[in-house]
Amino acid sequence: MEPKSCSGDGNPSRNLHPSKPLMAANFLRCLSRIQQTATNSSVGSRSRRIRRAAYASMAYSAGHRRAWSWALLRKLRCRRVRPVILPRRPRIARPQVVIEIDRAEVLRKLVPGGTGMDYCRLLEETADYIRCLATQVRLMQTVTDSISS
Amino acid sequence: MEKERFFGVNWQSMDAGMPPEMNSGAAAAAADQLPNSFLNLGWEQPMHHDVHFESALSSLVSSPSSNAPAGNDSVIIGELIGRLGSICNSGEVSPPSRYQSTNTSCYSTPLNSPPRLNLSTMDHQQQGRGGVPVPGNQMAAGKFSPFAADPGFTERAARFSCFGARGYPGLGGQFGLPEAGKLSRVSSSQSLKAVQLGASDNGKEVPVSEPERPETETRSKFGGEAEFGNSQEASSVSDRMTAVGAENNARKRKAASKGKAKGAPLSSSNMNPPKPSDGEKSDAKRCKPAETDGADKDAAVKPKTEENGDVGRKQGEEGNAKPPEPPKDYIHVRARRGQATDSHSLAERVRREKISERMKLLQDLVPGCNKVTGKALMLDEIINYVQSLQRQVEFLSMKLAALNPQLDFNMETLLPKDMHQALGQLPQQVYPLDMASTAFSYAQQLQGTPLQSLVTNSLDVQGSLNPLESSLRRPPTMQLPRLDGFADATSQLGNLWEDDLQYVVQMGLGQSQGTTAFSSQSMPVE
């Protein structure tokens, strides 16, 4: 696999961005750790940890040149310090009036670090994020398949 | 002749043969500081030949109002304003350049680089192109100081800017009043320079801006102009300015700004080809959607801009059909036939092209997007895909958690020998405090190891478990010692951090701390 292409500049990187070996190694390491340290945890908490491990390894392998990986790492790091408990305001039932869906906003919410980015940059980060996500999904799929087989 | 002194080649080369030379000459004379640049103010005869620059300025101001001939006055004024603005904004990156009135670009260039003024090599095209960008940026605020002292000057400049700014309604809001005030002052000084710099083509292109423009607007324009000043657009604008046209303010605006910019760059471009690049660099927006070397652009613009405002530009362009200057840091955009060529639309076009290019990339990534056309639908598909991927990650993580008990044993078999070796090395590297750097270096080495091939193979082949199966069949005994070491390492790691994911994150973060490269990287805005 070609090395991770860190094109943090404005040029969209057409190379296969994620470095799979690195991601795989990270993820497997995380998995083993989780498995060792939390053998008695519930499935739910373990799955949450695994999910976080997946995102962390993904973000880590992406490096700091991408906005989304950086935002993701920051989020994970802060999350690590203390669990994020956002006070939930009681939701007042309001007539749902959706005049127009701002798709860019929706995308911004999906992609970590999407806020505060102009549209052009957002598209670029989305492409990178999709690449990494797809790689991570494939990696996890492979692992589960190999385990379950 | 005074004009020769000031305008140099530009002046003479100007097709329009600006009569205002006298005026400019007077102005030039008045302003000693103004370099002899080609300040083709193209002021009309009405311009009084006041030796005193201020008086000349006032006349300039008044003349446009009194008689707005083909708009030469306005062009000149616009130029001045642009120059002033450019000076003010030297290096300032204004938000979407499109908002910046072209005037400012025109203005900025001449003002920004007084040294350029000497260029008067008049090719206005060349100068327009190269010089414009540079001068804008070059013009440091410092230049303002000498001029700031003249309040009357500033007033006149402001008035000039008003003229020029007339065409630019949108600019006012950009820079704010306080800045505008500063700009006006500067612009006044700049305008003087600009007048002198006037590049011949500037003279031709009378700033279209009408005098009504409020000062603030003018200022904002300057800010914007400065941005553009360097751009070739300015040069093209200057061409347009010559056209004078009367046409729509918007058109005039653009023309004026471009013309001015061109004027300045024309003279300066010859002198400092590298400067425009500097100027350009400073201005992100400058990447000149505008374009291609000024000359090219002008040529391209000319055919298109047949319109009122454009006509002037065209004329200017034609005269300057010169070989394009080597673009420095511009994003050269070739304006196609029938497309608008003002700085705003060019910047927008560049932006649109960037966005469409990214959308194409995304289309390749997201499966099943080939049939979808339209940005909204594409975005919908992209959003759905991202959401589905995230859901898949969640689902797989749950699955893995459920399979956890089997993980321990399977980890050994999962890791191929090579991979295991590589991983085994990692803990040793990781544990030192310098783990971040070592981990990073390890990560880099990782790609070259057989592990890479193994993992790659396993991952690349969709659903193919052959590599993993082969590893499964491997006798675990060989790997056990290593695995134990690895397991110990991981457990140790686990002891170090409370969170199981921390070490991954720490590695990433540690890298950022330990590696200057990371820290030096500009953190993407979240």
Side-chain angles (χ1 to χ4, degrees), chain B residues 47-63:
Chain B
M47 307 299 301
H48 315 298
H49 308 318
D50 295 338
V51 178
H52 207 57
F53 189 79
E54 293 188 357
S55 51
L57 279 180
S58 52
S59 63
L60 280 177
V61 179
S62 51
S63 57

Side-chain angles (χ1 to χ4, degrees), chain B residues 10 41 87 89 142 146 178 187 208 211 228 251 265 279 286 292 313 349 356 360 379 400 409 442 477 515 526:
Chain B
N10 287 342
L41 287 187
I87 295 180
N89 298 323
S187 55
V208 247
F228 293 105
R251 201 171 286 148
R286 293 252 178 138
T292 55
R313 188 183 347 165
R349 194 182 320 137
S356 66
K360 280 198 210 107
L379 274 179
L400 271 175
F409 171 78
Y442 164 76
T477 54
T515 313
E526 278 197 43

Side-chain angles (χ1 to χ4, degrees), chain B residues 173-358:
Chain B
Q174 297 257 338
F175 304 90
L177 280 177
E179 190 179 4
K182 196 168 47 146
L183 282 178
S184 64
R185 195 167 310 118
V186 176
S187 55
S188 57
S189 57
Q190 304 294 352
S191 58
L192 285 181
K193 288 190 188 173
V195 171
Q196 298 186 350
L197 296 180
S200 54
D201 65 336
N202 287 339
K204 285 193 302 187
E205 314 170 305
V206 178
V208 247
S209 50
E210 288 76 30
E212 288 125 44
R213 204 22 97 140
E215 290 194 1
T216 55
E217 257 187 282
T218 315
R219 306 211 192 99
S220 53
K221 262 193 321 181
F222 290 167
E225 290 284 334
E227 194 177 23
F228 293 105
N230 302 338
S231 60
Q232 296 155 359
E233 294 177 347
S235 52
S236 57
V237 174
S238 55
D239 285 344
R240 275 179 279 177
M241 300 197 27
T242 51
V244 191
E247 351 329 84
N248 336 336
N249 293 347
R251 201 171 286 148
K252 285 188 197 172
R253 200 182 328 160
K254 300 175 190 173
S257 55
K258 286 201 182 171
K260 297 210 178 81
K262 241 199 329 195
L266 285 183
S267 51
S268 52
S269 62
N270 297 344
M271 299 213 335
N272 315 320
K275 282 189 194 173
S277 53
D278 297 343
E280 297 300 329
K281 289 178 194 159
S282 59
D283 201 342
K285 246 340 183 138
R286 293 252 178 138
C287 38
K288 278 330 182 115
E291 34 275 354
T292 55
D293 308 341
D296 290 343
K297 193 167 175 298
D298 292 343
V301 172
K302 281 198 232 178
K304 299 191 214 179
T305 56
E306 284 304 336
E307 307 303 346
N308 313 338
D310 296 67
V311 169
R313 188 183 347 165
K314 243 191 358 173
Q315 296 164 0
E317 306 269 15
E318 292 161 354
N320 307 330
K322 308 165 193 359
E325 290 195 349
K328 302 305 178 200
D329 285 331
Y330 295 85
I331 289 182
H332 293 266
V333 174
R334 170 74 60 173
R336 289 180 282 278
R337 183 179 171 79
Q339 290 186 345
T341 47
D342 57 297
S343 60
H344 296 293
S345 53
L346 281 165
E348 283 179 44
R349 194 182 320 137
V350 166
R351 192 164 170 270
R352 263 183 271 124
E353 285 173 4
K354 267 169 104 175
I355 288 180
S356 66
E357 179 189 341
R358 308 248 155 90

